[in-house]
Amino acid sequence: MIEKPVFSREQLGMTRFTRRQFLKYSGVSAAATSVLSLDDVANAAITRPLPLGTPILVVVTLYGGNDGLNTVIPYKDPAYFAARPDLTYAPESLLQIDKDFAFNPSMTGIKGLWDEKKVAIVRGVGYPKPDRSHFSSMAIWQTGSPQTHLNTGWLGRWLDTQKVDPMTAISLGSVLPPLLAGKIQSGSALPLGGLIIPSGQFAKACQRLSAPSQKDSPLMAAAATSMRNLFNVSGSITPVLSQPAPMSDDLPTISGGNAGGDSNLTQQLNLVGKLIASGAPTKVWSVSLGGFDTHANEANAQALLLGTVSSSITKFLSQMKASGRSKDITVMVYSEFGRRVKANGSEGTDHGSAGPMFLIGDRVQGGFYGDQPSLTKLIDGDLAVTTDFRDVYSTVIEKVLGTPAEKILGKWSGRVNAIKSV
């Protein structure tokens, strides 16, 4: 096996890895991308709502390389403590899963879902010949093609099999991630900013201009209709979007309040929850959280990040239960790579290879899938890849999106039987 160097942040020429940097440099081109407004999605929810029972996929990307060993912790393995003595947590604080493994202490929400058998942990996930570059590895994950460079994302290729519709797949944020880039069509980007409608005298002038007239040319008539729709949709949907998302009475609590504080991921999933509950005709949603490039002071920083992920997803799924859509939704959580087994000199970890993926939801058959990589039989200091990510993708494509995986990933035979059929 050819050895690869370990890249530090300095060698990669950056001090912080961001989602925008990846989107800028990954080189994935796409078909025309729509930038939607809330009124676009809300209008579609009113005029052509997604039928109840339609499966929905929510993809959560953890940018930066999440440390899997401090996420699903092999707390009974002495090699774990020997490799990172300053990065471990007090045993009494761990959230025990079974006799060998525990969740990070901050993951109370996901631990509750695990106890309900709604969480599948797929272990040792990666791809052949791992690349420790953030950009290269994330491009591989998002295109779904470890060996061959492609200019389309794996969900973009799925979109190419569907009827052209900008509402089918939506990413929260101003920039479309490469995973939704297709050749024929691509997903849409939905910025997090709210819908701002003119007011006062300017609003009255706009409404006068939007009044129908037999003298209008087809183009002018279309523009006037669009403006009328903007005001009509705003009047009906803005009050809905300004209200809290549907709430369930089973949210976990900390010190008497709902678990988790406000965060960008919380905002994203809160908006996704509102739009799903309103009937948005969207089958794939993409959200993300950055900050997982924990080269220093990892224990506290990662615990805060994982706490945000755990509480955000738990709150979102509880909201979906209140909306009646919970049985439709599957959440998939991944990162571009795991971290090195051995800690570095800054109480952090450097870029590694394999790590766990999560599938979460009512249709998930909870439990462990895939073999746990050995902490003593390493490959150039990294965990061995025991599960190819295409096994998970193929399962999601078929069981959630209802499409033969061969159309998206070619003749790939691996599967992870963690999702119940519709």
Side-chain angles (χ1 to χ4, degrees):
M1 180 162 198
I2 300 175
E3 292 189 355
K4 287 189 172 185
V6 180
F7 296 102
S8 67
R9 291 189 300 173
E10 290 72 21
Q11 289 170 314
L12 287 170
M14 60 184 176
T15 58
R16 187 180 65 169
F17 172 72
T18 68
R19 177 172 177 267
R20 185 169 293 275
Q21 284 176 311
F22 164 65
L23 297 172
K24 179 179 178 180
Y25 293 113
S26 61
V28 176
S29 62
T33 299
S34 298
V35 178
L36 301 175
S37 65
L38 286 175
D39 64 298
D40 294 325
V41 186
N43 188 36
I46 294 169
T47 58
R48 50 188 182 96
L50 191 72
L52 277 172
T54 304
I56 298 170
L57 175 65
V58 179
V59 179
V60 181
T61 303
L62 309 181
Y63 283 97
N66 178 48
D67 182 8
L69 286 178
N70 271 6
T71 303
V72 180
I73 300 172
Y75 72 101
K76 288 294 182 70
D77 192 334
Y80 165 74
F81 294 96
R84 42 174 70 190
D86 296 322
L87 281 184
T88 58
Y89 298 92
E92 62 273 15
S93 71
L94 300 180
L95 305 174
Q96 187 173 342
I97 299 173
D98 66 8
K99 63 182 181 62
D100 296 312
F101 294 94
F103 282 126
N104 187 286
S106 67
M107 297 173 65
T108 52
I110 288 181
K111 171 59 164 60
L113 294 170
W114 169 270
D115 292 341
E116 296 175 14
K117 303 188 184 305
K118 295 180 180 180
V119 178
I121 302 173
V122 188
R123 299 183 289 194
V125 186
Y127 54 87
K129 299 179 181 179
D131 192 312
R132 297 190 186 96
S133 161
H134 288 292
F135 305 120
S136 296
S137 191
M138 187 58 82
I140 288 169
W141 274 86
Q142 294 211 12
T143 61
S145 180
Q147 282 87 25
T148 306
H149 174 74
L150 295 178
N151 288 329
T152 55
W154 67 281
L155 286 171
R157 295 194 295 280
W158 170 77
L159 278 170
D160 286 342
T161 70
Q162 306 296 299
K163 179 182 177 181
V164 175
D165 184 349
M167 299 291 171
T168 302
I170 295 177
S171 173
L172 272 290
S174 59
V175 181
L176 189 77
L179 84 163
L180 294 181
K183 184 177 181 181
I184 300 171
Q185 67 169 323
S186 294
S188 298
L190 177 61
L192 288 174
L195 177 62
I196 301 176
I197 299 297
S199 59
Q201 292 300 316
F202 182 54
K204 293 179 180 178
C206 288
Q207 289 173 322
R208 286 196 297 270
L209 288 172
S210 69
S213 171
Q214 293 182 347
K215 297 180 180 180
D216 287 344
S217 67
L219 184 60
M220 292 172 66
T225 299
S226 178
M227 187 175 293
R228 286 197 305 276
N229 289 342
L230 178 64
F231 281 93
N232 291 337
V233 170
S234 172
S236 61
I237 202 65
T238 297
V240 175
L241 293 175
S242 66
Q243 296 297 315
M247 298 299 292
S248 178
D249 59 6
D250 65 347
L251 285 171
T253 58
I254 296 176
S255 301
N258 286 333
D262 192 37
S263 71
N264 187 260
L265 181 61
T266 301
Q267 293 169 22
Q268 292 172 64
L269 286 175
N270 185 59
L271 182 53
V272 170
K274 291 180 182 181
L275 294 172
I276 289 177
S278 72
T282 304
K283 297 179 180 178
V284 175
W285 297 89
S286 172
V287 298
S288 64
L289 182 66
F292 288 88
D293 196 19
T294 51
H295 287 276
N297 304 315
E298 176 184 307
N300 291 332
Q302 190 195 16
L304 289 172
L305 290 166
L306 291 175
T308 294
V309 173
S310 175
S311 62
S312 298
I313 291 174
T314 306
K315 180 179 179 181
F316 166 69
L317 290 177
S318 291
Q319 292 166 346
M320 291 299 91
K321 184 183 297 184
S323 76
R325 294 262 183 185
S326 63
K327 294 187 182 300
D328 300 343
I329 295 166
T330 301
V331 178
M332 187 187 84
V333 185
Y334 79 100
S335 191
E336 70 262 37
F337 46 60
R339 315 292 294 187
R340 304 281 281 181
V341 174
K342 186 176 177 58
N344 60 26
S346 301
E347 297 185 6
T349 51
D350 297 323
H351 304 174
S353 56
M357 287 182 70
F358 295 91
L359 295 169
I360 306 172
D362 284 1
R363 290 181 50 221
V364 170
Q365 301 183 115
F368 286 111
Y369 295 84
D371 295 329
Q372 176 69 18
S374 169
L375 294 184
T376 56
K377 297 178 181 178
L378 304 180
I379 299 176
D380 191 23
D382 279 336
L383 295 173
V385 173
T386 58
T387 306
D388 194 293
F389 68 69
R390 288 167 289 184
D391 294 0
V392 184
Y393 286 3
S394 296
T395 303
V396 167
I397 291 166
E398 293 178 347
K399 297 287 189 178
V400 180
L401 301 178
T403 303
E406 184 173 344
K407 292 185 177 181
I408 317 303
L409 299 174
K411 295 182 179 180
W412 186 260
S413 60
R415 300 291 187 273
V416 176
N417 297 317
I419 301 177
K420 303 171 188 174
S421 298
V422 178

